Amino acid sequence: MDWLRDPQAIYKESFATIEREAALEHFPAALRAVVVRMIHACGMVDLTTDIRWFGDVASAVGNAISARKPIFCDCEMVRSGIIRRFLPEGFEPTCTLNQPSVPTLAKQMQTTRSAAAVELWKDELEGAVVVVGNAPTTLFHLLELIERGGPKPAAIIATPVGFVGAAESKQALADANLNIPFVTVLGRRGGSAMASAALNATTIGREWS
Amino acid sequence: MDWLRDPQAIYKESFATIEREAALEHFPAALRAVVVRMIHACGMVDLTTDIRWFGDVASAVGNAISARKPIFCDCEMVRSGIIRRFLPEGFEPTCTLNQPSVPTLAKQMQTTRSAAAVELWKDELEGAVVVVGNAPTTLFHLLELIERGGPKPAAIIATPVGFVGAAESKQALADANLNIPFVTVLGRRGGSAMASAALNATTIGREWS
């Protein structure tokens, strides 16, 4: 079998293919690397048609991490997709989904574990980064929290996936006028890999003071 | 905001949507749950057109895990997407990608870390389960190993994603006539969530002796 084995060549050819095939020209320069990595994570160049954003999410994420604000992830897959060597040394993203208190909290609140897990972010959510790759109910709960005057994150990356609530929650984010930089993908498509790829696009090559 | 909060109702409505919209009828009964969960993981019902398989991958995975053969994953995202409560107690999937010897090995072999990591599976690969969700070079290297008379896994779940080698490696698997049960998705689409979802479909609800 004949296949490309050089990791640098693979990356280069991948990104060249995306640049050639994807309609990147209507994205602001600061967002383009984010969009490219989201496409890279899913193999679909037509993802561009569904991407919506507000503000400069890359700078907002970078500034939040510079200030050592937490990165809150909705699930462990997102957390494990975040590349540690692009982050400040010793800096770890947070996922509260599997905290022991979450199942009981979810029952009390009559909601999903993914929504209840957001409650554990509250004390540190102001100015933090939120990355949702899987659960629409995480995003819905976060939006309700913010709209009720709760703490506001500095940036939201939101690509929950699937058939119930994914499209609706992302449309709600896009329509919410929260004045928080975000990037999302309308419709059913999304996923944890796409979410962590978007985050990684904002941190690659940065020097952290 | 009005949104569905009951986790059971969310699952039920998700799977009902997939049953209604996806062309599941040309898959054998034993594969259908696998296909449904792969679609669930990516939000795309037209995934069915690209799915290829051989044999009864669900039974092959189940038998391998019953015999406590390892589950080898190409990356940590796949490993973290595998639901532990569906596995025998204390059973952990394996990912060798971040083993300290891998970068040096990759340099020596003039290949990617993802391919080199397969070398560390060799002693236990016979009869094991392989789950590839990210790296085409893992799948290429595995196929070469098997075709050269190396150890044969019991089942292969392969959904590497992207623009360089993903489509080619999955086509190579589909064409290889290895007599090993597999499931794959032709083309660029795929991903870690899809791969672990396929694995989870084969383990949910099982009683392990």
Side-chain angles (χ1 to χ4, degrees), chain A residues 138-193:
Chain A
T138 297
L139 182 55
F140 274 130
H141 194 83
L142 175 72
L143 294 177
E144 285 191 348
L145 192 68
I146 297 167
E147 291 185 344
R148 286 169 187 167
K152 286 176 82 166
I156 302 172
I157 292 167
T159 61
V161 62
F163 299 92
V164 176
E168 296 83 351
S169 64
K170 291 178 289 186
Q171 190 67 57
L173 170 64
D175 295 343
N177 284 314
L178 299 175
N179 203 29
I180 298 170
F182 72 81
V183 62
T184 191
V185 176
L186 298 185
R188 291 170 170 181
R189 293 189 294 181
S192 299

Side-chain angles (χ1 to χ4, degrees), chain B residues 108-126:
Chain B
Q108 284 168 354
M109 300 174 65
Q110 297 188 287
T111 191
T112 64
R113 290 192 302 121
S114 295
V118 174
E119 291 291 305
L120 305 189
W121 302 354
K122 275 181 175 174
D123 290 349
E124 296 184 277
L125 185 55
E126 185 73 36

Side-chain angles (χ1 to χ4, degrees), chain A:
Chain A
M1 272 177 285
D2 183 33
W3 47 283
L4 198 56
R5 288 150 213 260
D6 172 22
Q8 295 313 317
I10 293 171
Y11 266 98
K12 203 175 156 191
E13 193 174 317
S14 291
F15 290 124
T17 304
I18 296 168
E19 296 280 347
R20 195 166 57 238
E21 294 187 20
L24 299 170
E25 58 283 355
H26 61 284
F27 296 102
L31 192 69
R32 221 164 288 177
V34 174
V35 173
V36 166
R37 282 201 170 242
M38 290 168 79
I39 292 171
H40 185 241
C42 70
M44 298 179 285
V45 292
D46 74 332
L47 198 74
T48 50
T49 55
D50 293 334
I51 289 177
R52 298 293 182 278
W53 75 93
F54 171 79
D56 182 353
V57 74
S59 295
V61 171
N63 293 339
I65 298 175
S66 282
R68 301 300 189 270
K69 297 288 183 179
I71 301 173
F72 289 117
C73 310
D74 68 327
C75 65
E76 286 293 337
M77 284 194 86
V78 166
R79 209 171 74 85
S80 83
I82 293 177
I83 300 175
R84 299 302 196 276
R85 69 178 186 278
F86 299 166
L87 296 178
E89 205 179 325
F91 190 90
E92 275 291 315
T94 303
C95 172
T96 56
L97 181 63
N98 297 312
Q99 295 273 313
S101 62
V102 168
T104 308
L105 190 60
K107 265 185 202 157
Q108 284 168 355
M109 299 174 66
Q110 298 188 288
T111 192
T112 63
R113 289 193 301 121
S114 296
V118 175
E119 291 291 306
L120 305 189
W121 301 354
K122 276 182 174 172
D123 290 349
E124 296 184 277
L125 185 56
E126 185 74 38
V129 175
V130 172
V131 191
V132 182
N134 182 56
T137 58
T138 297
L139 182 55
F140 274 130
H141 194 83
L142 175 72
L143 294 177
E144 285 191 348
L145 192 68
I146 297 167
E147 291 185 344
R148 286 169 187 167
K152 286 176 82 166
I156 302 172
I157 292 167
T159 61
V161 62
F163 299 92
V164 176
E168 296 83 351
S169 64
K170 291 178 289 186
Q171 190 67 57
L173 170 64
D175 295 343
N177 284 314
L178 299 175
N179 203 29
I180 298 170
F182 72 81
V183 62
T184 191
V185 176
L186 298 185
R188 291 170 170 181
R189 293 189 294 181
S192 299
M194 203 183 282
S196 46
L199 189 284
N200 294 335
T202 69
T203 55
I204 183 171
R206 277 190 86 110
E207 306 269 340
W208 305 102
S209 53

Side-chain angles (χ1 to χ4, degrees), chain B:
Chain B
M1 273 176 283
D2 183 33
W3 47 284
L4 198 55
R5 286 150 214 259
D6 172 23
Q8 295 312 318
I10 292 171
Y11 265 97
K12 205 175 153 190
E13 192 174 318
S14 291
F15 290 124
T17 304
I18 296 168
E19 295 281 347
R20 194 166 58 238
E21 294 187 20
L24 300 170
E25 59 282 354
H26 61 283
F27 296 102
L31 193 70
R32 220 163 290 178
V34 174
V35 174
V36 166
R37 281 200 171 243
M38 290 168 79
I39 292 171
H40 185 240
C42 69
M44 297 181 285
V45 293
D46 75 331
L47 198 73
T48 52
T49 54
D50 292 335
I51 289 177
R52 298 293 183 276
W53 76 95
F54 171 78
D56 182 352
V57 74
S59 295
V61 171
N63 293 340
I65 297 174
S66 283
R68 301 300 189 271
K69 297 288 184 181
I71 302 173
F72 289 117
C73 309
D74 68 327
C75 65
E76 286 292 336
M77 283 195 87
V78 166
R79 210 172 73 85
S80 84
I82 293 178
I83 300 175
R84 300 301 196 276
R85 68 178 187 278
F86 298 166
L87 296 178
E89 206 179 324
F91 190 90
E92 276 291 315
T94 303
C95 173
T96 57
L97 181 63
N98 297 313
Q99 295 273 312
S101 62
V102 168
T104 308
L105 191 60
K107 266 185 201 155
Q108 284 168 354
M109 300 174 65
Q110 297 188 287
T111 191
T112 64
R113 290 192 302 121
S114 295
V118 174
E119 291 291 305
L120 305 189
W121 302 354
K122 275 181 175 174
D123 290 349
E124 296 184 277
L125 185 55
E126 185 73 36
V129 175
V130 172
V131 191
V132 183
N134 183 56
T137 59
T138 297
L139 182 56
F140 274 129
H141 194 83
L142 174 74
L143 294 176
E144 284 190 348
L145 192 68
I146 297 169
E147 290 184 345
R148 286 169 187 168
K152 286 177 80 165
I156 301 172
I157 292 168
T159 62
V161 62
F163 299 91
V164 176
E168 295 83 351
S169 65
K170 293 180 286 185
Q171 190 67 57
L173 170 66
D175 294 344
N177 284 314
L178 300 174
N179 204 29
I180 297 170
F182 72 79
V183 62
T184 192
V185 175
L186 298 184
R188 292 171 170 180
R189 293 189 294 180
S192 300
M194 203 183 282
S196 47
L199 190 284
N200 294 334
T202 69
T203 56
I204 183 171
R206 277 189 87 109
E207 306 269 341
W208 305 102
S209 54

